[in-house]
């Protein structure tokens, strides 16, 4: 059995909170940072009440990215855009459970494109709904805020949700990673890892911290190493 609390979690800063007028510099800076994945939030104004950025911006970032691009599709009907996101540089593609009536097909499409496949759960969506697809997944993304905006407050019940996903993955024999997204900071990171999180997305905490993103990512990494198993 895996021992989540003993593994070093992956850190995935979110571009949504970066300086979008300087994406080359931001991407190169993250390339020198403690980041393991680069999280790229795509919002369409339909699935979520906000619009962010999409294919041409991902393509631009890809030119300078050193880490895998973790593309979080907060869009309706994502099946129409999977190949385009792969071609633009996505390494991991995550779709929302709530946006996919034919989720199994969508997950297979992502894998057939050669990408790792993730499914995201909104805060109200129970972990148990993934039971029949867990073994096919590379990533389960647990939303710890309602998707659509950066800088929102972390929803505390996420800790139980992460533990429930961890149990479900174990029972399904799934090696999927558990990613947590929304309001992640030093205040909850170690508890999330202890509950079973493998990947922590952080936007505002990393980019708005007075210490700057490089130091903040390094501090987060050190904090997690010092607090394993709490
Ligand atoms: C929210 C996005 C998140 C967001 C996280 O809809 O999916 O990835 O960028 O930002 P923070 O860490 O500021 O909550
Ligand atoms: Zn996200």
């Amino acid at each position: 059995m895996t021992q989540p609390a003993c593994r070093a979690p992956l850190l995935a800063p979110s571009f949504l909170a970066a300086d979008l007028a300087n994406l080359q510099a931001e991407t190169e800076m993250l390339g020198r940072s403690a980041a393991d994945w680069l999280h790229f939030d795509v919002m369409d104004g339909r699935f979520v009440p906000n619009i962010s950025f999409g294919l041409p911006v991902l393509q631009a970032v890809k030119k300078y990215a050193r880490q895998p691009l973790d593309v979080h599709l907060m869009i309706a009907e994502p099946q129409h855009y999977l190949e385009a996101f792969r071609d633009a540089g996505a390494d991991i593609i995550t779709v929302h459970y709530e946006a996919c009536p034919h989720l199994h097909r969508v997950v297979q499409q992502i894998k057939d494109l050669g990408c790792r496949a993730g499914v995201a759960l909104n805060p109200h969506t129970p972990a148990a709904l993934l039971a029949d697809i867990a073994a096919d997944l590379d990533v389960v993304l647990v939303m710890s805020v309602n998707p659509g905006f950066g800088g929102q407050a972390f929803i505390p019940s996420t800790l139980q949700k992460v533990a429930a996903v961890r149990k479900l993955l174990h029972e399904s024999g799934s090696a999927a990673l558990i990613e947590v997204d929304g309001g992640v900071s030093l205040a909850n990171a170690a508890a999330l890892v202890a509950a079973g999180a493998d990947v922590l997305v952080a936007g505002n905490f990393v980019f708005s911290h007075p210490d700057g993103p490089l130091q903040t990512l390094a501090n987060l990494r050190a904090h997690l190493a010092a607090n394993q198993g709490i």
Side-chain angles (χ1 to χ4, degrees):
M1 185 183 159
T2 50
Q3 297 292 327
C6 297
R7 282 177 286 144
L10 304 180
L11 303 182
S14 168
F15 277 111
L16 194 62
D19 180 357
L20 299 179
N22 289 293
L23 270 180
Q24 177 180 346
E26 294 285 66
T27 310
E28 288 175 343
M29 176 275 294
L30 291 173
R32 302 188 299 273
S33 77
D36 300 285
W37 293 358
L38 306 182
H39 189 79
F40 191 88
D41 286 307
V42 182
M43 304 179 184
D44 66 350
R46 288 181 62 208
F47 178 67
V48 289
N50 195 10
I51 298 175
S52 58
F53 35 66
L55 292 159
V57 178
L58 181 64
Q59 212 171 5
V61 162
K62 184 70 176 178
K63 285 195 278 183
Y64 305 104
R66 294 191 129 187
Q67 294 97 332
L69 286 169
D70 173 35
V71 175
H72 178 191
L73 295 182
M74 287 165 275
I75 67 174
E77 301 185 11
Q79 66 273 16
H80 301 308
Y81 305 98
L82 302 173
E83 188 168 0
F85 276 104
R86 191 277 312 270
D87 291 347
D91 297 285
I92 302 129
I93 298 180
T94 294
V95 296
H96 267 261
Y97 177 90
E98 303 82 8
C100 297
H102 305 289
L103 185 62
H104 183 272
R105 181 184 292 145
V106 175
V107 166
Q108 297 311 319
Q109 284 172 341
I110 295 171
K111 292 167 93 169
D112 288 347
L113 289 166
C115 294
R116 282 186 271 174
V119 171
L121 298 177
N122 276 342
H124 73 281
T125 305
L129 290 172
L130 293 181
D132 290 352
I133 200 162
D136 296 307
L137 301 181
D138 299 302
V139 174
V140 175
L141 192 163
V142 177
M143 288 304 306
S144 36
V145 298
N146 285 290
F149 303 92
Q152 300 182 81
F154 178 82
I155 298 172
S157 61
T158 305
L159 287 166
Q160 284 93 67
K161 179 85 150 281
V162 169
V165 174
R166 173 57 60 202
K167 185 165 176 283
L168 181 127
L169 294 179
H170 178 61
E171 286 165 1
S172 316
S174 171
L177 299 176
I178 301 177
E179 181 171 17
V180 179
D181 185 6
V184 172
S185 72
L186 279 182
N188 49 42
L192 284 167
V193 174
D198 301 294
V199 186
L200 300 178
V201 176
N204 264 57
F205 175 68
V206 166
F207 286 96
S208 303
H209 198 288
D211 291 343
L214 279 177
Q215 190 58 46
T216 303
L217 282 163
N219 290 347
L220 186 53
R221 166 83 70 223
H223 171 80
L224 290 169
N227 288 278
Q228 276 184 9
I230 69 156

